[in-house]
Amino acid sequence: MPMAPSCTLLFLFLLPFLAAVTTSAEVAPGPAPQLNITGILDKGGQYGTLLRLLNVTHVDEQLSSQLKYSYDGITFFVPTDAAFSKLKAGTLNGLTDQQQVQLMLYHILPRYYSLSTFQTASNPLRTQASGAGGVYTVNVTSTTGQSMVNVSTGVATVPVGTTLYAEFPLAVYSVDDVLLPEQMFGKSKAPAPAPTPAWKTKERKKGGAVPKNDVTAAATPTAGTTSSNDSTDVAAAAPEGACVRWWDVIGAITLVGFANLVVA
């Protein structure tokens, strides 16, 4: 049966729209592939301790969910097994469950950073860890030419190593030390000053006031001492600073001479 003229006109009018809908349906992209952080770490081959902690704290689930809806992306500093082995024995076991969560979140920045963007980043950078004092932060510094990137926590400065993945919205960088937040582990201790050498101490005292603890010995004259020498002994017997009269000296010499004559 031939198509009615009105139907033919309607079909011709709708034909362009039908073609457009069909074309768009054919080229519509499928859902973006899900980023698998644990798969990236598994492939790296030296992040077993980190994978265990991510699983125990459920931070791996949090990261996967966050990547689905994040507009800013994520940067993850991942410590190697060797990095965890550098910690003092019992460090991880000594942390509460909440502290282990905060330790993991401290390695995550809530924004995607390529190595080049670290050069223009404004420190301090916020991490995803927080406590009573607010959000925990790090300082990231980069030298010209991206040859060296360091992460400073206040406890230690850690160089950034291998790039495991760097494509928005996720950047994963390997580090050879665990990032320890100052709020949990305290500030790094400055080395104690070296003791002052004994010769410097004596030099400081030389020419200055006599310290209270120092005792100055004073010579005490011996009464009744005579000598066949000149008046030097008589003068020495006088207290220090006293004025010696010349006639006393002459008299003393005369008495000494007279005594010698009598003995002779």
Side-chain angles (χ1 to χ4, degrees), residues 221-238 248-249 251-260 263:
T222 304
T225 302
T226 59
S227 173
S228 58
N229 296 333
D230 55 13
S231 60
T232 303
D233 293 336
V234 178
D248 291 338
V249 175
I253 294 173
T254 303
L255 289 175
V256 171
F258 180 75
N260 290 334
V263 171

Side-chain angles (χ1 to χ4, degrees), residues 23 52 96 109 126 168 191 218:
T23 303
R52 179 180 61 81
T96 65
L109 309 181
R126 296 162 61 92
F168 186 87

Side-chain angles (χ1 to χ4, degrees), residues 30 45 52 54 97 105 169 172 179 184 187 210-211 227 231 233 247:
R52 179 180 61 81
L54 290 174
D97 292 344
L105 294 178
V172 182
L179 304 183
M184 292 172 55
K187 292 184 177 181
V210 178
S227 173
S231 60
D233 293 336
W247 52 83

